[in-house]
Amino acid sequence: MSDHSFLSRLPLRAARWSATHPWRAIGGWFFFVLVAAAMAFVVPTQQTSDADYRLGESGRADALVAAGSFPGGQVESVLITAGDGGRLDPTEVRAASRDLRSRVASLPGVRRVTDATWNPERTAALVDVQVTDAVDDATPVQRATAAVAAAHPELSLREAGDISVNTAINDRVAQDLHSAEGISLPITLLLMVVAFGAVIAAGVPVLLAVTSVGATMGIAAPLSHLIHAESTVTSMIVLIGMAVGVDYSLFYLKREREERAAGRTTLDAVEIAAATSGHSILVSGAAVVASMAGLFLVGGATFDSLAAGAIVVVVISVIGSVTVLPALLVTLGSRADRPRVPLLWRLNRRIGAGGLSRRILAPVVSHPVAALTVAVVAVGALAAPALGMKIHDSGLQTLPASIPQVQTLRQMAEEFPAQGTTATVVVHGTTAEQPAILGALHGLTTTAAGTASFDAAGRDAIQTSPDRQTVQLSLPIPWSAADPRSEQAITDLRDHLLPDALSGLSVQHAVGGEVATSMDFASRQQSRIPLVIGFVLLLTLV
């Protein structure tokens, strides 16, 4: 108690006030939680948009395409193959495609349904359903495809596209995260019962964690108008909030019970816990906030959103641990050890305070050099795979193969390379420059197809914006997005092929697409990692 540093005095002063005004502290905390949680219903959450994810040259390409207001919209594709896996009957394919067009063309948001396009081997055909950007549900198209498939049993019709795949992935992620959320609460409560051997003592950390999470959920709504919220940030807040909220309360409550068991009054026990465990909570919380703040230096919507959510829930958990928790402990007193779970209570009493930690730490304290050596080697072995880690954005090859739409997209990419990995070349200039730009891009398609890095482009590869100032070209790449040769193709296109094709033209140009986006993402990560590490170490030291 002789340490009078700021970090020691702050939790001690907060604990003294809360312990001497317990009902004010408890009432104030729950009022704060209710007001904060109400914000989620009053203030709409601002979700991230495509523009938030733009990075580097691929981001500039995407911005040019968006500014050009291209009429292409979104595409949901229907893959037609023979039911037995053999060659297709052209008559049956034409009949199925006519049936599909009649069912789909009148659906809301559908702009155009193309004729069936054949692959060179004549083993697959593809029908594209072009929809407006306002469409966010592919269910009507999927139902129409299923109806056509039922009417033509000799054929296999499968539908996939950006809308349906994004929906399937979001549903899978939401399902997995909700499962984790549902499991975390009962498991956490069970572990607390095992740790304390008493129901009320086990419930106090869980109560603080749940209220901290609820308050953060509400505050996240207005915060999202400054830092747009990722769709997964809510689940991340729940998981981190439950972890740190329980952890910090556990520090405090265990120490208070130990001091009370040693014969001190509840008020004295709370003050000792505040000066010791409260200090640890502040230091731990500050370290977590410093680490999360480093993500802001990486940049990007994902890291900004996750960092903001994590920092808020940790700060609120720390505040609750050093304010309302002492008030709850003083109010409950010895009743925190009720009702007891007989077997677990006796086991905890037999182990004694710090029994397990003493057994674990005794050899470490006795042989510090050996313990340090073993720890460094173990941590180094666990970290070694990171040296060969390849950073890239998620793509078709990294998506879960168990999702039917992903399987369909992969087969489409195999049967129709132009539907798979592509590079998007975007050129912006004046209307007067358009003939020269179109000529340059037509020459680029021929030059690119003459290399081993690109396949021949389709007839719709070049598109011009309505204002005739922006042109985009799609160049198929014959490898998957994760293949190093695809990255080399983008590098060659950016450094040589495109500049050579546009030589003499004073226009804006950029190369985007899945591979280019992944490369720009990885480049940003690699360039910022040293800065992040230095920032976190410096801030933690301070």
Side-chain angles (χ1 to χ4, degrees):
M1 301 270 291
S2 61
D3 182 4
H4 297 288
S5 68
F6 173 76
L7 286 180
S8 292
R9 287 185 281 109
L10 182 60
L12 182 56
R13 289 180 177 179
R16 281 176 179 167
W17 187 91
S18 297
T20 53
H21 305 83
W23 291 112
R24 291 185 186 180
I26 295 172
W29 173 258
F30 283 101
F31 177 76
F32 159 71
V33 172
L34 289 175
V35 171
M39 293 183 186
F41 299 96
V42 177
V43 180
T45 299
Q46 179 66 51
Q47 299 286 345
T48 54
S49 63
D50 291 341
D52 293 318
Y53 296 93
R54 291 170 182 162
L55 294 173
E57 183 173 341
S58 60
R60 289 193 289 108
D62 187 61
L64 288 173
V65 171
S69 301
F70 283 84
Q74 306 173 93
V75 176
E76 291 290 306
S77 300
V78 178
L79 179 66
I80 304 176
T81 55
D84 57 5
R87 293 181 65 85
L88 285 170
D89 182 347
T91 303
E92 291 293 338
V93 172
R94 284 193 293 270
S97 62
R98 284 196 301 269
D99 190 3
L100 182 65
R101 185 183 300 108
S102 66
R103 293 175 185 268
V104 172
S106 60
L107 293 176
V110 174
R111 297 179 56 256
R112 179 184 174 220
V113 182
T114 66
D115 295 330
T117 302
W118 292 82
N119 67 343
E121 295 80 14
R122 311 285 290 183
T123 57
L126 198 67
V127 176
D128 287 337
V129 180
Q130 298 176 359
V131 299
T132 63
D133 291 328
V135 176
D136 59 1
D137 184 8
T139 303
V141 178
Q142 293 170 338
R143 289 174 180 168
T145 302
V148 175
H152 300 271
E154 67 283 352
L155 298 176
S156 172
L157 281 81
R158 288 178 290 167
E159 187 272 347
D162 289 341
I163 302 173
S164 55
V165 169
N166 286 338
T167 300
I169 292 172
N170 289 336
D171 290 344
R172 173 68 62 84
V173 170
Q175 179 182 351
D176 292 345
L177 289 174
H178 289 159
S179 298
E181 294 169 10
I183 293 172
S184 65
L185 184 59
I187 288 182
T188 300
L189 187 56
L190 178 61
L191 290 176
M192 292 300 98
V193 172
V194 172
F196 290 109
V199 175
I200 293 180
V204 168
V206 176
L207 176 63
L208 180 65
V210 169
T211 52
S212 298
V213 167
T216 305
M217 294 282 199
I219 293 174
L223 181 63
S224 69
H225 290 266
L226 296 176
I227 303 173
H228 295 174
E230 270 260 349
S231 58
T232 57
V233 71
T234 299
S235 296
M236 188 276 303
I237 288 173
V238 172
L239 298 177
I240 290 185
M242 291 300 299
V244 297
V246 168
D247 199 25
Y248 295 162
S249 303
L250 189 60
F251 288 166
Y252 213 110
L253 186 53
K254 289 284 283 185
R255 184 58 188 268
E256 186 270 345
R257 291 173 82 236
E258 292 172 4
E259 296 300 331
R260 189 157 41 80
R264 291 182 172 84
T265 65
T266 300
L267 184 58
D268 288 340
V270 167
E271 288 193 358
I272 294 173
T276 53
S277 296
H279 177 272
S280 299
I281 289 171
L282 286 183
V283 172
S284 174
V288 174
V289 169
S291 299
M292 292 295 102
L295 293 179
F296 288 120
L297 297 179
V298 179
T302 299
F303 294 110
D304 288 350
S305 177
L306 297 182
I311 288 173
V312 172
V313 76
V314 168
V315 170
I316 291 178
S317 297
V318 169
I319 293 173
S321 298
V322 299
T323 56
V324 72
L325 184 56
L328 285 172
L329 297 181
V330 167
T331 303
L332 292 171
S334 60
R335 287 172 295 181
D337 296 331
R338 299 284 190 272
R340 297 170 180 173
V341 181
L343 179 61
L344 294 175
W345 178 264
R346 288 195 297 270
L347 180 61
N348 274 277
R349 302 294 285 183
R350 182 176 301 174
I351 293 174
L356 289 177
S357 58
R358 280 200 301 269
R359 290 179 175 86
I360 295 173
L361 292 176
V364 175
V365 175
S366 301
H367 306 88
V369 176
L372 179 62
T373 302
V374 171
V376 170
V377 171
V379 172
L382 292 173
L387 298 175
M389 181 172 60
K390 179 178 174 59
I391 300 175
H392 60 82
D393 204 4
S394 60
L396 184 58
Q397 301 304 316
T398 60
L399 295 176
S402 57
I403 297 177
Q405 290 83 355
V406 172
Q407 296 177 7
T408 301
L409 276 185
R410 289 182 179 179
Q411 185 171 359
M412 287 181 186
E414 292 175 0
E415 301 287 357
F416 299 87
Q419 298 291 124
T421 307
T422 59
T424 303
V425 177
V426 186
V427 183
H428 176 77
T430 64
T431 304
E433 294 173 311
Q434 290 309 298
I437 293 174
L438 290 172
L441 293 184
H442 279 295
L444 176 61
T445 59
T446 302
T447 303
T451 69
S453 300
F454 298 93
D455 286 331
R459 63 176 183 272
D460 297 327
I462 298 179
Q463 295 181 337
T464 303
S465 63
D467 62 4
R468 304 195 61 79
Q469 293 186 359
T470 307
V471 182
Q472 65 172 332
L473 163 66
S474 294
L475 291 175
I477 299 176
W479 306 294
S480 70
D483 194 310
R485 292 174 295 182
S486 297
E487 294 188 0
Q488 185 58 49
I490 295 295
T491 301
D492 292 341
L493 182 60
R494 285 177 167 178
D495 294 346
H496 305 294
L497 297 177
L498 182 57
D500 291 346
L502 298 175
S503 178
L505 294 177
S506 180
V507 294
Q508 299 180 52
H509 62 82
V511 175
E514 179 184 357
V515 181
T517 299
S518 180
M519 291 173 60
D520 293 338
F521 174 80
S523 176
R524 167 69 72 91
Q525 303 303 98
Q526 292 168 354
S527 64
R528 297 294 178 89
I529 283 178
L531 182 61
V532 171
I533 293 175
F535 172 81
V536 171
L537 290 178
L538 179 61
L539 195 56
T540 304
L541 177 64
V542 171

